[in-house]
Amino acid sequence: MKVVLLPGNSKENKAWIEEIEKTLKKECATKVIYYEHWKTGEETINIEAEVKKLEQVVVKEGVIFAKSAGCLVVLKGIAEKRINPKKCIFAGVSVRWAESKNIPIKEWLKKNKIPTVILQKTEDPAIHVSELRILLQELKVENYTMKEIPGNDHHYENIKQIKELILKGA
């Protein structure tokens, strides 16, 4: 099994995603997507550039784990039929941030037919889990499972729980 890992927008996510990769390496093949804007010093991810990278590494049997802005890269790739993974696992879906940047996240969510597990904190500032549930129901999104975890921030620090979700979901 191959797992592609996409962190959030901020460069502070680099060490976190590498920690997740390290815990998975013994049990499956992994590939971290490192964002171009981290090298260039830009503030915000170039979603199109990262989808192009993702197209090169995602295989049909593969699983994608993405956090926050990484979810947007994956959703765009799926919506445009450029990637077709076996399963997605999302942490901290960043609906509010996407909308503030005029990113069509609702359209992309509607087009996602890939089985997806969403790990969202109760009061994640990117969108509370209850609001996300309502949004997905309103959009008639299917093929997803919601896992609520307590918390009121956008940090998904429980590496062990994430590893178990990825391995169980694959």
Side-chain angles (χ1 to χ4, degrees):
M1 170 182 78
K2 182 175 184 178
V3 180
V4 180
L5 305 163
L6 290 91
N9 181 65
S10 167
K11 196 170 183 177
E12 282 77 55
N13 285 282
K14 184 177 183 285
W16 173 81
I17 203 75
E18 287 173 346
E19 188 64 29
I20 291 173
E21 180 185 38
K22 195 168 84 177
T23 67
L24 289 169
K25 266 198 180 296
K26 295 179 185 105
E27 301 178 56
C28 57
T30 57
K31 169 73 176 157
V32 173
I33 300 293
Y34 292 99
Y35 301 140
E36 290 305 308
H37 77 286
W38 289 357
K39 293 180 211 160
T40 63
E42 297 286 318
E43 188 179 318
T44 307
I45 190 170
N46 178 333
I47 294 175
E48 177 57 31
E50 303 308 336
V51 171
K52 285 180 183 170
K53 267 195 240 170
L54 195 55
E55 285 179 289
Q56 307 304 309
V57 296
V58 172
V59 293
K60 198 171 178 87
E61 314 78 59
V63 173
I64 298 175
F65 171 76
K67 178 191 183 257
S68 194
C71 303
L72 302 175
V73 174
V74 176
L75 287 167
K76 177 179 172 67
I78 291 168
E80 296 176 355
K81 297 183 177 8
R82 293 163 66 182
I83 61 169
N84 187 21
K86 175 179 150 187
K87 187 163 204 169
C88 295
I89 300 157
F90 292 159
V93 179
S94 53
V95 174
R96 289 188 182 115
W97 186 81
E99 289 177 335
S100 76
K101 305 278 186 207
N102 294 315
I103 296 168
I105 187 169
K106 290 178 182 175
E107 292 305 311
W108 295 347
L109 283 166
K110 278 195 259 187
K111 292 179 179 177
N112 181 22
K113 305 296 181 214
I114 305 297
T116 302
V117 175
I118 300 172
L119 183 66
Q120 196 81 11
K121 287 194 174 179
T122 305
E123 295 180 2
D124 186 322
I127 188 167
H128 294 188
V129 72
S130 58
E131 296 172 82
L132 183 56
R133 274 195 184 101
I134 291 166
L135 176 64
L136 294 172
Q137 289 167 355
E138 286 173 353
L139 296 173
K140 296 181 177 27
V141 176
E142 299 172 8
N143 266 347
Y144 75 91
T145 307
M146 187 78 71
K147 304 258 185 220
E148 178 177 352
I149 56 173
N152 61 359
D153 60 30
H154 194 58
H155 302 288
Y156 289 78
E157 60 283 322
N158 191 334
I159 305 291
K160 185 176 180 228
Q161 181 183 27
I162 291 168
K163 176 188 175 185
E164 289 169 8
L165 255 182
I166 292 170
L167 292 175
K168 190 169 64 175

